[in-house]
Amino acid sequence: MRSYYLVKGIGAITRRSMLATALGAIAFGAVSFGQGAAQAAEKINIAALTFVSSSPLFIAKEKGYFADEGLDAEITFFRAAQPVAVAIASGDADFGVTAFTGGFFNLAGKGALKVIGAQLHEDPGYDGSAILASNAAYEAGLTSVDKLGGHSFALSQVGSSFHYMIGNVAEKAGVDIDSMELKPLQSVPNMIGALKSGQVDSMIIVPHIAKPLANAGAAHIIGWVKDYVPYQVGGLFTSTKNVEERRDVVEKFVRAYQKGVADYRAGLLATDADGKLIESDTTNEILEIVHKYVYADDPAEKAYPKIRNGAMFITEEGKLDVEDVKAQVKWYQERGYVSESADPDTFIDTSFIAPLGQ
């Protein structure tokens, strides 16, 4: 009898041991699976500027839209648009969102880049980039856009979006661009510093920078680009290699970006029947997110109005104004900043996001 109970006890112990082993294996498997799932997230690097215009990226990251698509997204910041394009072309970054430049179109024309969606769009219904005069120049008579002739103008680089904007603004305002002294200063902070110190007479800059400068008495707004050149300021782009070899990753990125665009539009661009911007819980949520990246050193009560002022128009779903981009390429080509061989039909890819008008 004792032997029976001994054997029975041993059997029970054995069963408990087997059960414990099985449970342990399941637990280990779950941990391993979790680690595998985490490791399976595709790492991507996104190149951008710390502008309100990059907000859909910030939103997509902070609200987990990239993570939901299985993407481990890191954002790297630059101080001018051209280096963003170079980072994508060189493979240092996977995606970029910034303004179009002559340098961008040259890289794209050589087959390195693909434009797959839209960033900012100068639209008559929304405040966009402002045309600023320094205090010294304003006091000397530069009080309106048609008086820009003979004055200096700050831009980041020759062939930049600033170059394109002032060229078109001057033409529409009847100003001889050749009479102006264009000063490439390599970065936006350098442009701002030069204007504030009176080293240059004028510049064009996004509203979340322009309005605070004017409100602080550091410069004067003398006009708005939207009144002269409504156009597709920037785009969403990636490398040709990504489109060809990692199409699924590009599709995932686009879906997350579009969700960010939708939240941006709902929180910062929505208006009521009278055209007044709507303040809502969504607005507060989006402001809180963007504040982590833009005016991060300012307290919320100072940063939020600046961010609100800088909320430029982005088309629904990030749809690109293809015809306008083609017009930009032509403008740069006519002035020798973009190779005649650059063909926008070869580097604009509308297979990820339908173009504006469709």
Side-chain angles (χ1 to χ4, degrees):
M1 182 69 68
R2 182 181 176 190
S3 298
Y4 168 78
Y5 283 110
L6 180 61
V7 172
K8 183 178 180 181
I10 292 172
I13 292 170
T14 301
R15 286 194 296 273
R16 287 197 297 270
S17 298
M18 292 175 63
L19 178 61
T21 301
L23 290 173
I26 292 171
F28 177 78
V31 171
S32 299
F33 177 78
Q35 291 174 342
Q39 292 171 353
E42 188 87 24
K43 288 186 177 296
I44 59 170
N45 191 288
I46 307 164
L49 277 64
T50 52
F51 283 1
V52 179
S53 55
S54 301
S55 292
L57 297 174
F58 310 150
I59 296 166
K61 181 173 176 62
E62 295 297 324
K63 296 191 72 171
Y65 297 150
F66 289 129
D68 289 345
E69 292 289 347
L71 301 177
D72 181 5
E74 178 183 353
I75 303 175
T76 300
F77 295 106
F78 295 80
R79 291 192 168 191
Q82 180 62 16
V84 173
V86 173
I88 307 300
S90 66
D92 290 334
D94 298 299
F95 299 93
V97 179
T98 193
F100 291 123
T101 66
F104 174 91
F105 291 135
N106 275 320
L107 285 172
K110 292 176 182 178
L113 303 171
K114 292 286 187 181
V115 182
I116 57 175
Q119 187 216 29
L120 295 182
H121 196 291
E122 286 282 351
D123 184 275
Y126 296 84
D127 284 348
S129 295
I131 305 160
L132 297 175
S134 70
N135 286 339
Y138 188 87
E139 291 167 4
L142 181 53
T143 56
S144 59
V145 175
D146 60 343
K147 297 177 180 178
L148 279 168
H151 287 281
S152 58
F153 179 86
L155 59 152
S156 56
Q157 295 158 329
V158 172
S160 64
S161 60
F162 300 111
H163 196 166
Y164 179 81
M165 285 187 279
I166 191 57
N168 281 272
V169 167
E171 181 181 347
K172 298 290 176 61
V175 174
D176 181 6
I177 189 69
D178 291 333
S179 73
M180 297 179 64
E181 182 185 3
L182 305 184
K183 291 188 174 184
L185 300 177
Q186 306 311 313
S187 73
V188 170
N190 289 346
M191 292 166 56
I192 296 169
L195 187 81
K196 290 173 67 176
S197 62
Q199 296 177 62
V200 294
D201 298 329
S202 60
M203 75 173 187
I204 291 173
I205 202 67
V206 288
H208 79 267
I209 294 176
K211 291 180 181 179
L213 284 173
N215 292 337
H220 293 266
I221 295 176
I222 59 173
W224 298 91
V225 171
K226 65 176 183 176
D227 296 328
Y228 297 88
V229 197
Y231 86 107
Q232 182 69 64
V233 181
L236 169 67
F237 50 95
T238 188
S239 65
T240 300
K241 183 178 180 180
N242 277 338
V243 169
E244 293 175 348
E245 299 179 8
R246 303 169 73 199
R247 187 175 183 88
D248 61 327
V249 173
V250 179
E251 290 173 342
K252 291 175 181 179
F253 176 87
V254 165
R255 286 195 294 268
Y257 178 75
Q258 288 183 310
K259 290 179 181 178
V261 168
D263 287 354
Y264 171 87
R265 286 171 54 91
L268 300 181
L269 298 182
T271 58
D272 59 22
D274 297 323
K276 183 179 179 181
L277 290 172
I278 296 172
E279 300 290 338
S280 65
D281 291 340
T282 300
T283 301
N284 294 329
E285 178 190 21
I286 299 307
L287 287 171
E288 183 177 351
I289 289 173
V290 177
H291 185 209
K292 293 180 180 180
Y293 298 86
V294 184
Y295 295 115
D297 294 333
D298 288 348
E301 61 269 19
K302 288 186 177 181
Y304 286 10
K306 295 177 184 179
I307 294 169
R308 205 72 166 97
N309 284 334
M312 293 174 65
F313 184 71
I314 298 179
T315 57
E316 186 176 5
E317 297 180 359
K319 292 187 174 183
L320 185 74
D321 187 340
V322 173
E323 294 308 310
D324 186 79
V325 175
K326 291 181 178 180
Q328 291 181 51
V329 174
K330 183 179 179 181
W331 185 91
Y332 282 112
Q333 288 174 328
E334 290 174 347
R335 288 154 183 79
Y337 298 120
V338 170
S339 170
E340 287 296 327
S341 63
D343 181 2
D345 285 329
T346 65
F347 60 76
I348 296 175
D349 187 337
T350 58
S351 65
F352 297 97
I353 301 175
L356 192 64
Q358 291 187 18

